[in-house]
Structures are given as structure tokens and as C-alpha cells.
Amino acid sequence: MYDIIVVGGRCAGASVALLAARAGLSVLVLERAAMPSDTVSTHLVHQPGAALLADWGVLDAVAASGCPPILRSGYRVGDIRLEGSARPFKGQQAAYAPRRNVLDGVLVDAAIAAGVEYRDQATVTGLLTEDGRVHGVRFRTPKGGVQTEECRLLVGADGMRSSVARFTGAAMASEDPTLTCVYYSYWAGLHDRFELFEAPGRFAGLVPTHDGRSVVSVYFPQSEFETVRRDSRRIYVENVAQLVPELADATVDDERFGKLYAIGDQRNFFRQGHGAGWVLIGDAWHHKDSITARGISDAFLQSDLFASTVLPKLPDPVELDAALATYDVLRGQELVESYRNTLSVAKLDLQEERLRLLRHVAADPALVQDYFTVVSGGLPVGEFYSAELLAEALN
Ligand SMILES: Cc1cc2nc3c(=O)[nH]c(=O)nc-3n(C[C@H](O)[C@H](O)[C@H](O)COP(=O)(O)OP(=O)(O)OC[C@H]3O[C@@H](n4cnc5c(N)ncnc54)[C@H](O)[C@@H]3O)c2cc1C
């Protein structure tokens, strides 16, 4: 019997397993993929996420992997240009955008070093339950056999299409329509610049990652997914050329970029977070459009909160259930505002009022710093867009 079994071993699963093992618990992770491996992502870990990696003692390994620190930010809309830096978050100035085989690999290595039993190529296919309480899992081994393992608490960290959510019947607590789709590729020669670009119906980002490459992503309204898909390389590059002035000469067979990745399934939801003997963490519990690049940092925040709120109560099932309820309330309070903000950005609806506001912000370096701190998740949106700022900018 393990204290905890975690299903899914990437940024949510590996980080929660690491913290549980460091708290002295016995932990088994079951991960379907062969690890370390890449997964769909534009990689950005904002300052609050990087600060947690630093707290856990693993940020140095990410930095040592050759991933460039992101210290300056840019934002362009038409003729408006913001240039500056976010304020440090708990002393953490740099953001990073590590490839997921690196980031997830660093977390898996740290988890194993802390005593976690990590089994990859192991796919969970069902749950063990007794009197309505989950107490273990059934899973397929790499050689095709079927095994079971038991635990006090099952953590479903198995992503947006969570099997644990399906097996437990976790209901959707709230759900919003899908708003965007995104196309991205890795480009050479953009010199570690981090910059975001907005235009009516479009949003783009340059995010520096390993090997001198940058992720260049273009967001389109969800309604255009099928149209873009029919001629994706041409439409992607045309939009890159229109949105990013330095890439205005880009062509379809440009050798600066490689394979094009397309993601249409950008769901927005919160699921029921826990039940008797189980809890969902990371994208399994809450998923939102990737346009604000918050999923990884939010998964870390959930793991950290789980460690302080739930782990100490694990020995007693009654206290554990109460702690899981508290945990759900707390993480909901932490994440609901950034969820609302993400939906608002994902509407890709550039209004005249927003342009006036950005023009006002661009003229004041202190406001520019605040703006980038909001983008990083280090300052609540509501604190920045005060009645005073809106009155000054819009009157
Ligand atoms: C296009 C795109 C770009 C993004 N860009 C960013 C970004 O720049 N910054 C950011 O912060 N976030 C970004 N995100 C969001 C981010 O990728 C997710 O929020 C993050 O990966 C969630 O981590 P997770 O561990 O919860 O789930 P996942 O990373 O999805 O990991 C879940 C794991 O569970 C495993 N699994 C699933 N089912 C089973 C099973 N039955 N048995 C065993 N294992 C199983 C899977 O193999 C997988 O490895 C992006 C997302 C998309 C789609």
C-alpha cells in the first residue's frame, strides 16, 4: 500500500510526487509515455512558476540545460510598443521556456532522487474501489501485462482528457466555450527575444527556448480552425509576416522554421476536484486556453498548495476529506481571476478602449513594468486596472 499513487508524471504529477516524497510519504507515479519526452507546449514558465522551481531546488538544473533566462519583455499592437521587465516575483526575476522533455525530466529526476517510485510506459486503465472509496488502480505494464497497486490517496495528474476524471465520474463544475486555436513552430535567429503581438482577431508570441530556437505561435479564433488547417503552412507564415515586423520577409519554405504544430482543442473548464480517496491536479482539474501561458505555473501552484494543505492530513481519512475540500476552495480562489482574464484575452477582440489604455501605459515606465507583471501572473489584473488608471487613460 502506497500513501499516494499519482497518475500522470509531467509538471503536475512529477512536482506533487516530489513534494509528497520529501514530506516522507511513499509515492508511486504511473506515466503512460516513455519519459523524458516532449509534449505539445509553447513552454513559457512565468516568474511565479520559476519561483516555485527555485523553492524546490530544481531551477538551477533548468537554467543549466542551456535554456536562456527571459529578463526583458515586449508587447506590440499596431504602432504601440511596450518594452520592459516584470517585477521580480518573490525574488525571481527571470522567466524560462524550457522544452518539456527538459522541464518534466528535471522534475522526474528530482522526484526519483527524493524516493518516488516512477514507472513510465504504464497506463492506468481502471480504479479499485470499496464502499465508494477509491483505494488503488489497475494499469497496463510496458510488456502488456495488467497489475494493480493500492494507496491511501489517488492523485489524477493525467491532463485535460483525464482518465481518472472519467473513471471517478468527476463532473464539470463550470465550462466555457473554446475560443482559439493555435499554430506554432520553432524558429532560428530571433536572438532570445520575448515579445507578444496583438491585432484584431490575432495574437502571436516569440518565446526563446533551447538551441537558439524560439517558439513562434499564432492564435486564431476557433471558428477559423478548419480554414487554417486546409492550408496551414501558408496561412501561418502569412500571419507571422504580418504580425512580427522583423519576419515580414518570411516565406512558406523559409528554412528558419521547421515542423508546424496545430492545436484546436483549447478547452476552458473547472472539474469537480476531489471525492472519496481521489483528487485531480493540474490540467485534469482545470484547463484554460494556452494564450496566457499559465498552465505550467498554475500546475506548480496547485502542487505547492496541495503539499501545505493536504499532505499533513493524509493519515486520517476524515481529516483528509476535509483538507481536500479546503484545498479545492483555496485553489479555486487563487486561479479564478486569471481564468477570467485568459478568457478575455482569448476572445481576440481588440477594442478601441484597450488601444487607448495601452497607449497611456506605454508612456509611463512604471505602468509598463506593472503591465508586464500582470502578464507574468505576479500582479492581479484587478489591482492593475484600477478605477484611477481607467479614468486617467480613457478620459
Ligand atoms: C499549444 C499549447 C501551448 C501551451 N503553452 C504553455 C506555456 O507556454 N506555458 C504554460 O504555462 N502552459 C502552456 N500550456 C499548458 C500546459 O502545457 C499544461 O497546462 C500543462 O502541461 C499541464 O500539466 P499536467 O501535468 O497537468 O498535464 P500534462 O502535461 O498533459 O501531463 C499529463 C500526463 O498524464 C499522462 N497520462 C494521461 N493518461 C494517463 C493514464 N491513463 N495513465 C498514465 N498516464 C497518463 C500523459 O501521458 C501525460 O504525460 C500550453 C498548452 C498548449 C496546448
Side-chain angles (χ1 to χ4, degrees):
M1 157 90 75
Y2 293 88
D3 290 318
I4 293 184
I5 294 179
V6 184
V7 184
R10 288 194 181 274
C11 50
S15 59
V16 89
L18 163 70
L19 298 175
R22 285 187 181 162
L25 302 172
S26 58
V27 186
L28 170 66
V29 175
L30 298 168
E31 164 56 55
R32 185 174 56 197
M35 294 292 280
S37 56
D38 229 335
T39 187
V40 168
S41 179
T42 51
H43 316 307
L44 183 57
V45 182
H46 290 287
Q47 285 82 350
L52 284 171
L53 290 174
D55 261 10
W56 302 337
V58 295
L59 185 62
D60 287 350
V62 171
S65 70
C67 185
I70 299 171
L71 295 162
R72 301 274 302 164
S73 308
Y75 207 102
R76 268 198 259 185
V77 192
D79 64 338
I80 306 170
R81 187 165 191 180
L82 275 58
E83 288 263 356
S85 304
R87 260 184 264 133
F89 187 87
K90 298 190 176 163
Q92 178 61 39
Q93 179 65 78
Y96 290 87
R99 292 291 291 243
R100 288 294 295 274
N101 57 331
V102 173
L103 176 67
D104 297 340
V106 162
L107 288 164
V108 170
D109 287 348
I112 292 170
V116 169
E117 189 177 332
Y118 192 99
R119 295 194 216 165
D120 64 354
Q121 302 174 71
T123 303
V124 170
T125 54
L127 306 182
L128 309 180
T129 55
E130 195 173 315
D131 298 331
R133 194 169 188 91
V134 173
H135 66 94
V137 288
R138 187 174 305 109
F139 61 99
R140 223 175 20 245
T141 65
K143 291 189 175 152
V146 175
Q147 283 183 17
T148 58
E149 293 289 359
E150 297 198 32
C151 57
R152 285 180 208 282
L153 180 64
L154 179 70
V155 177
D158 51 347
M160 182 175 80
R161 298 176 192 84
S162 170
S163 312
V164 174
R166 197 172 67 250
F167 298 144
T168 56
M172 282 295 171
S174 66
E175 199 171 4
D176 289 281
T178 301
L179 295 168
T180 74
C181 57
V182 56
Y183 285 75
Y184 70 89
S185 187
Y186 294 90
W187 289 64
L190 297 178
H191 309 296
D192 292 352
R193 266 177 59 213
F194 169 57
E195 192 155 7
L196 304 171
F197 303 83
E198 214 182 326
R202 297 288 183 270
F203 189 95
L206 312 183
V207 180
T209 182
H210 296 272
D211 306 322
R213 296 257 159 191
S214 299
V215 186
V216 178
S217 50
V218 180
Y219 286 80
F220 301 87
Q222 172 67 210
S223 56
E224 293 182 30
F225 184 60
E226 286 306 325
T227 318
V228 179
R229 194 154 70 161
R230 271 182 236 127
D231 196 1
S232 56
R233 211 168 161 89
R234 184 184 64 76
I235 295 176
Y236 165 76
V237 84
E238 262 177 27
N239 277 274
V240 167
Q242 278 165 18
L243 288 158
V244 184
E246 290 77 1
L247 294 175
D249 62 343
T251 59
V252 176
D253 34 39
D254 204 311
E255 288 181 358
R256 285 174 294 179
F257 77 102
K259 181 181 168 186
L260 188 59
Y261 298 82
I263 289 87
D265 198 7
Q266 299 245 65
R267 289 183 223 169
N268 298 300
F269 66 76
F270 287 86
R271 282 194 178 106
Q272 172 190 353
H274 74 280
W278 61 271
V279 60
L280 301 176
I281 283 195
D283 279 7
W285 171 62
H286 160 53
H287 192 271
K288 57 185 167 288
D289 198 291
S290 63
I291 198 161
T292 47
R294 291 287 176 77
I296 299 168
S297 299
D298 287 353
F300 294 162
L301 183 146
Q302 289 182 56
S303 294
D304 208 53
L305 194 57
F306 180 82
S308 57
T309 318
V310 179
L311 291 182
K313 307 295 182 191
L314 202 69
D316 179 323
V318 176
E319 284 193 20
L320 174 62
D321 289 351
L324 286 171
T326 307
Y327 173 59
D328 259 357
V329 172
L330 293 177
R331 63 179 167 166
Q333 284 168 353
E334 285 284 341
L335 295 181
V336 76
E337 195 201 39
S338 82
Y339 178 66
R340 296 268 154 248
N341 182 45
T342 296
L343 293 185
S344 145
V345 177
K347 283 187 183 138
L348 302 176
D349 178 20
L350 185 58
Q351 304 260 345
E352 178 56 31
E353 240 183 30
R354 178 161 165 71
L355 291 174
R356 282 166 64 194
L357 184 88
L358 286 171
R359 225 178 274 289
H360 178 79
V361 169
D364 180 343
L367 287 178
V368 169
Q369 188 179 41
D370 282 351
Y371 187 81
F372 286 125
T373 311
V374 170
V375 170
S376 77
L379 178 67
V381 181
E383 271 182 42
F384 177 65
Y385 292 106
S386 64
E388 195 189 352
L389 174 70
L390 295 176
E392 276 172 18
L394 304 179
N395 291 326

